[in-house]
């Protein structure tokens, strides 16, 4: 039987997790799961239904009635909210903040974590998020925690937004949003953003995407050989 591979990639916003996890997924031929997209879809639904993204009671009721499905089209993850593809609508600054807020509600989290664990049982996976190594897959075979300075993370996100044609947000605003999420994501009571004790920490501030991806790939391949 083929060996089980579950790779957890955690860290704060802008540390390079998703770009790197996608490269790792391609190179190792395993599924990539962007767990942040799930919290983003929940935030989108809350905003659409005019539920405050910090209203835990409202969110708990809402989340019972939503259905989130992850699928892959030409190797790219798509996310469906009640059968509607919302993949392209969840990448705005408003949804980023909303996702960080809804992710603090235990009822929301438990439903998303359930889905994440179900996917990981069916297939080998590289999963990126905040609590993958500590809470979702505490016994994952491989765990990495990516960090970078706040200046570098803000600059990366700012450039990403510009490349997507989002020009109505300044570098300073991007930085403030990231600082808000850092605080919110690490400060929540339930499954906060935290490095797992057995995770390998990589500071990506002065490394290229390719360098970080190769560090992870070689570390995984090395361990698999043993
Ligand atoms: O990875 P991202 O920026 O798309 O995540 C959006 C928000 O969702 C993030 O600020 C916190 C939350 N999140 C979480 O709490 N746990 C995860 N595993 C993934 C994301």
């Amino acid at each position: 039987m083929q060996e089980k591979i579950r790779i957890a990639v955690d860290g704060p916003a802008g540390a390079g997790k998703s770009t790197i996890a996608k490269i790792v997924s391609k190179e190792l031929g395993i599924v990539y799961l962007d767990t942040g997209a799930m919290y983003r879809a929940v935030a989108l639904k809350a905003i659409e239904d005019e539920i405050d993204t910090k209203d835990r009671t409202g969110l708990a009721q809402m989340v019972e009635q939503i259905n989130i499905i992850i699928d892959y089209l030409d190797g790219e993850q798509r996310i469906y909210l009640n059968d509607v593809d919302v993949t392209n609508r969840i990448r705005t600054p408003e949804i980023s903040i909303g996702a960080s807020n809804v992710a603090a509600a235990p009822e929301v989290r438990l439903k998303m974590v359930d889905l994440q664990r179900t996917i990981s049982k069916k297939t080998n996976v590289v999963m990126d998020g905040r609590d993958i190594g500590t809470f979702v897959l505490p016994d994952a075979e491989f765990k990495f925690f990516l960090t970078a300075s706040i200046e570098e993370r803000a600059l990366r996100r700012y450039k990403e937004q510009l490349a997507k044609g989002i020009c109505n947000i300044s570098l300073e605003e991007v930085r403030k949003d990231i600082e808000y999420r850092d605080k919110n994501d690490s400060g929540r009571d339930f499954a906060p953003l935290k490095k797992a004790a057995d995770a390998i920490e990589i500071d990506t501030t002065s490394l290229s995407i390719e360098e970080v991806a190769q560090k992870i790939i070689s570390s995984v391949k090395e361990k698999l050989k043993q």
Side-chain angles (χ1 to χ4, degrees), residues 88-168:
N88 299 332
R89 291 171 51 206
I90 55 171
R91 298 288 156 196
T92 65
E94 185 192 17
I95 301 281
S96 299
I97 297 289
S100 176
N101 288 340
V102 302
E107 292 83 356
V108 170
R109 256 205 121 66
L110 285 173
K111 182 155 174 174
M112 300 308 120
V113 168
D114 209 35
L115 187 54
Q116 292 155 19
R117 287 183 180 150
T118 303
I119 295 171
S120 81
K121 279 192 190 122
K122 290 189 203 142
T123 179
N124 284 338
V125 68
V126 49
M127 221 183 258
D128 90 38
R130 303 292 187 288
D131 60 336
I132 311 303
T134 51
F135 185 70
V136 181
L137 305 174
D139 54 353
E141 289 72 20
F142 305 93
K143 295 183 188 178
F144 299 90
F145 192 83
L146 307 187
T147 60
S149 70
I150 177 71
E151 290 77 17
E152 177 65 20
R153 291 188 290 124
L155 193 61
R156 286 177 190 168
R157 272 294 142 92
Y158 178 64
K159 285 184 184 162
E160 254 172 48
Q161 307 268 33
L162 288 184
K164 279 191 229 150
I166 304 174
C167 305
N168 58 351

Side-chain angles (χ1 to χ4, degrees), residues 35-36 39-40 91 99-100 103 109 129-131 181 185 188:
T35 63
Y39 297 98
R40 286 173 179 270
R91 298 288 156 196
S100 176
R109 256 205 121 66
R130 303 292 187 288
D131 60 336
R181 289 207 282 150
D185 297 343
R188 67 177 175 235

Side-chain angles (χ1 to χ4, degrees), residues 18-87:
S18 64
T19 319
I20 287 157
K22 277 185 205 159
I23 300 174
V24 171
S25 127
K26 280 215 178 85
E27 178 119 1
L28 298 177
I30 62 176
V31 163
Y32 163 55
L33 183 65
D34 164 12
T35 63
M38 296 181 182
Y39 297 98
R40 286 173 179 270
V42 174
L44 174 68
K45 178 72 176 150
I47 292 167
E48 276 179 356
D49 290 1
E50 296 182 1
I51 295 169
D52 186 331
T53 53
K54 288 184 175 171
D55 169 9
R56 293 197 179 174
T57 316
L59 290 169
Q61 282 168 2
M62 186 199 86
V63 84
E64 269 182 38
Q65 282 148 38
I66 64 173
N67 185 28
I68 289 185
I69 294 175
I70 298 288
D71 202 359
Y72 294 87
L73 189 69
D74 299 329
E76 292 289 320
Q77 175 177 309
R78 310 296 302 179
I79 183 157
Y80 297 82
L81 172 67
N82 294 342
D83 296 327
V84 177
D85 185 345
V86 294
T87 313

